[in-house]
């Protein structure tokens, strides 16, 4: 079963830059795919299009067998959760609030001073934190955590949406090599154990070779390779 299908999807930005040439591809459920390419290749554009953060110039995007339209974009966006290079946490808020930031319930009774978590949301957040091995940090401020820990929070925030797909845009580009391996190992484990398809963009060939089931090579907005790490190895 395919969880993502792109049919001749292209993107030209307003300044005329062709970031993605017409691209057709499908991603299998539960697979670990790496979008590999240098800076400026169009990796981020591709992932943002799948998440509906970026409009397409042409073509059709299908997520979980549903065509991406303005009407269903927010629902499908939760099923294809993003993880970012710069983590995108709110530094002065604690970890729990960062994870549940989309689900805060404003309680007017308390005169705008208090936002509440639903118990069911808290349960999901605790599960997500346990999944990334960060249970002890639930009430710490996000900006007190190391880069690797912050990215774990970013992954927990994605997991709390109970997605079928995680789209990770250069998830380790801000991290040192050892922490990068740890984060990719964690994403790989989540892929295998929770059956969540992971699509991660990377610019390091060695990391792609170590973790991917499938590597899609992107250069100047064009798919230049599509195959297993083994096939990429024999290609080089
Ligand atoms: P769109 O076609 O999606 O409307 P725009 O060209 O209007 O995109 O740009 C959207 C935003 O991206 C703007 O804030 C712009 O400053 C920023 N931007 C423009 N050029 C680049 C670039 N080369 N790389 C990254 N961001 C850019
Ligand atoms: P990557 O993630 O592989 O580094 P991007 O998708 O960020 O590549 O960018 C692909 C190309 O599109 C680059 O040339 C980049 O400068 C350009 N680009 C990205 N965002 C915008 C934007 N909002 N407006 C104009 N050009 C952009």
């Amino acid at each position: 079963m395919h969880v993502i299908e792109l049919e001749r999807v292209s993107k030209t930005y307003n300044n005329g830059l062709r970031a993605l040439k017409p691209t057709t591809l499908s991603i299998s459920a539960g697979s670990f795919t790496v979008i590999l390419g240098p800076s400026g290749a169009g990796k981020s554009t591709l992932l943002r299009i799948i998440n509906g953060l970026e409009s397409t110039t042409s073509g059709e995007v299908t997520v979980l067998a549903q065509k991406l339209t303005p009407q269903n974009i927010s629902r499908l966006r939760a099923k294809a959760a993003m993880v970012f290079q710069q983590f995108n946490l709110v530094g002065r808020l604690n970890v729990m609030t960062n994870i549940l930031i989309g689900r805060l319930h404003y309680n007017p009774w308390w005169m705008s001073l208090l936002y509440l978590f639903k118990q069911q949301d808290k349960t999901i957040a605790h599960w997500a934190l346990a999944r990334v091995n960060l249970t002890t940090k639930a009430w710490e401020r996000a900006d007190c955590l190391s880069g690797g820990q912050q990215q774990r929070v970013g992954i927990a925030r994605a997991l709390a949406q109970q997605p079928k797909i995680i789209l990770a845009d250069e998830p380790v580009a801000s991290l040192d090599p050892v922490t990068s391996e740890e984060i990719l190992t964690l994403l790989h484990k989540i892929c295998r154990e929770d059956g969540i398809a992971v699509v991660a963009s990377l610019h390091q060939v060695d990391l792609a070779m170590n973790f991917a089931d499938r590597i899609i090579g992107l250069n100047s907005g064009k798919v230049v390779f599509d195959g297993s790490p083994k096939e990429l190895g024999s290609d080089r």
Side-chain angles (χ1 to χ4, degrees):
M1 187 209 156
H2 291 144
V3 287
I4 300 168
E5 291 169 273
L6 304 187
E7 182 66 37
R8 291 194 65 75
V9 170
S10 76
K11 175 70 181 183
T12 303
Y13 283 105
N14 288 347
N15 60 2
L17 197 135
R18 280 187 90 189
L20 194 64
K21 302 197 174 119
T23 298
T24 299
L25 57 87
S26 317
I27 304 287
S28 300
S31 61
F32 198 113
T33 304
V34 168
I35 311 289
L36 180 65
S39 175
K43 307 183 295 295
S44 183
T45 300
L46 179 63
L47 292 176
R48 291 165 60 86
I49 282 175
I50 297 168
N51 187 257
L53 284 170
E54 199 75 71
S55 63
T56 57
T57 304
S58 69
E60 202 167 275
V61 181
T62 305
V63 175
L64 299 173
Q66 290 186 55
K67 202 180 142 187
L68 208 57
T69 64
Q71 288 72 40
N72 62 21
I73 213 164
S74 59
R75 201 168 41 81
L76 290 180
R77 188 173 277 164
K79 294 290 149 205
M82 286 288 283
V83 169
F84 302 93
Q85 173 177 353
Q86 299 296 343
F87 326 129
N88 292 16
L89 305 179
V90 183
R92 63 190 168 78
L93 297 181
N94 64 45
V95 164
M96 197 61 146
T97 309
N98 267 284
I99 291 177
L100 293 177
I101 206 151
R103 304 177 183 218
L104 289 172
H105 294 271
Y106 170 51
N107 187 339
W109 183 254
W110 296 95
M111 296 189 303
S112 83
L113 288 175
L114 195 61
Y115 289 82
L116 297 175
F117 301 126
K118 277 195 201 163
Q119 186 54 47
Q120 135 199 10
D121 288 345
K122 265 201 275 191
T123 305
I124 292 173
H126 278 297
W127 166 80
L129 270 182
R131 209 71 196 87
V132 302
N133 226 336
L134 216 59
T135 305
T136 56
K137 305 286 185 191
W139 304 105
E140 301 222 356
R141 271 173 63 137
D143 56 9
C144 292
L145 305 181
S146 70
Q149 289 172 336
Q150 290 194 38
Q151 192 56 297
R152 285 171 188 268
V153 177
I155 294 168
R157 178 181 55 194
L159 285 175
Q161 301 187 64
Q162 302 178 293
K164 293 277 180 243
I165 306 157
I166 288 181
L167 305 169
D169 190 4
E170 292 271 11
V172 301
S174 306
L175 303 173
D176 64 70
V178 172
T179 312
S180 296
E181 291 264 351
E182 284 172 13
I183 292 293
L184 287 170
T185 302
L186 175 62
L187 285 171
H188 195 261
K189 176 178 146 106
I190 287 167
C191 173
R192 288 293 184 268
E193 294 177 5
D194 299 65
I196 296 174
V198 174
V199 184
S201 64
L202 296 174
H203 60 265
Q204 304 96 322
V205 180
D206 56 333
L207 289 178
M209 298 284 268
N210 283 348
F211 289 95
D213 298 324
R214 173 185 177 193
I215 297 173
I216 298 173
L218 203 62
N219 206 347
S220 303
K222 195 172 166 352
V223 173
V224 293
F225 175 85
D226 190 348
S228 66
K230 209 171 148 207
E231 286 163 328
L232 180 64
S234 59
D235 218 42
R236 290 200 301 159

